[in-house]
Amino acid sequence: MDRATRKQRKREERARRRAARKESVLIQEFWNLPNMLTLGRIMLIPLFVWFTYDADPFYSLMAGVVFAVASITDVVDGYLARKWNLITVVGKFMDPLADKLIAMAALVMMVRLGRIAAWLVIVLLARELIVSGLRTIAASEGMVIAAGQEGKWKTSLQLVGIISLCVHYVHPLDLGFRVVTVDYNLVGKTLVYLSGAFSVWSAVVYFRAFLAMLARRGKPDAQNA
């Protein structure tokens, strides 16, 4: 058997092994519509950052549109995952990651443009790190800290506030019966400051819930008392 034939047979054998190899569970879980929407949300981040580099009214408006689309896909992919029973390990990892990445990118770019104070962004990002850390520790101990209403208010106010900050400029708004002039920067700042207050509140609630869980775990079982 010559050298060329041996190489050809080795290539064919490797091809057969690759064909027979099963895809990993994570790869199989990845290919569904909710996860694709989540991935699309992550891929919108460079486009959003590009729009926010130019602070003229048109690009600011487009940045607001991109962020709004990303926020809508967040709702849609969660709904579809629950409806079609497509809640996967990949989705559990990617969905909160996508949310935090685009929110962080938006807040950092708003500071760059001088549309919001840096200290407030530090508070908001610190809250996310603290809560994520508490959730990770709780999960490692088999505990689950449910999201409270104050956290949901924080998220809603922050999303609408960021969209308003992205638009930034004064634009007329047709209400149907009247046209009013809206200062979107003022609206955005107000909402994001309110979300900052809810962020601190929710972080305190999470921390108290975490300590309460630890205290309950430290007590002897009532049935064995």
Side-chain angles (χ1 to χ4, degrees):
M1 184 183 298
D2 58 18
R3 186 175 180 182
T5 303
R6 288 197 300 270
K7 286 185 176 181
Q8 179 64 26
R9 289 188 175 181
K10 287 181 180 179
R11 285 195 294 268
E12 292 174 353
E13 180 63 25
R14 285 196 295 267
R16 283 195 295 269
R17 286 199 296 264
R18 284 196 297 268
R21 188 182 306 158
K22 293 183 179 180
E23 288 186 339
S24 69
V25 175
L26 291 179
I27 295 296
Q28 294 174 17
E29 288 186 346
F30 183 81
W31 297 107
N32 61 56
L33 182 56
N35 288 344
M36 292 298 98
L37 289 174
T38 302
L39 180 62
R41 193 157 73 253
I42 295 174
M43 294 175 66
L44 284 176
I45 295 175
L47 178 62
F48 171 81
V49 172
W50 184 72
F51 278 134
T52 54
Y53 261 96
D54 290 303
D56 64 25
F58 175 75
Y59 282 108
S60 294
L61 180 61
M62 292 306 298
V65 170
V66 170
F67 193 89
V69 169
S71 301
I72 292 170
T73 60
D74 182 26
V75 176
V76 172
D77 64 30
Y79 171 77
L80 293 179
R82 291 187 296 270
K83 183 178 179 180
W84 295 343
N85 195 26
L86 293 174
I87 299 175
T88 62
V89 174
V90 174
K92 289 179 181 179
F93 169 74
M94 286 180 55
D95 187 63
L97 176 65
D99 296 341
K100 289 177 174 56
L101 285 176
I102 195 164
M104 179 181 67
L107 291 170
V108 169
M109 294 307 295
M110 293 305 103
V111 171
R112 175 186 174 272
L113 295 172
R115 297 180 181 179
I116 197 168
W119 68 265
L120 178 58
V121 174
I122 293 172
V123 170
L124 294 173
L125 296 181
R127 182 266 179 195
E128 295 301 327
L129 292 174
I130 291 170
V131 171
S132 296
L134 289 176
R135 282 176 170 170
T136 301
I137 296 173
S140 68
E141 296 296 323
M143 301 182 295
V144 177
I145 304 177
Q149 188 62 42
E150 61 284 340
K152 296 176 183 178
W153 276 105
K154 182 273 301 182
T155 301
S156 301
L157 290 169
Q158 188 178 109
L159 291 178
V160 179
I162 290 175
I163 293 171
S164 299
L165 284 174
C166 290
V167 177
H168 179 66
Y169 292 92
V170 176
H171 292 282
L173 179 64
D174 189 353
L175 300 176
F177 59 90
R178 182 183 176 187
V179 177
V180 296
T181 301
V182 179
D183 184 343
Y184 283 91
N185 182 260
L186 179 60
V187 172
K189 279 184 178 179
T190 302
L191 294 177
V192 175
Y193 274 101
L194 285 174
S195 77
F198 277 99
S199 292
V200 174
W201 181 17
S202 63
V204 172
V205 170
Y206 269 109
F207 190 67
R208 290 178 61 184
F210 178 74
L211 292 179
M213 284 184 176
L214 288 181
R216 285 196 297 270
R217 287 193 61 182
K219 293 180 180 179
D221 192 346
Q223 294 180 353
N224 298 329

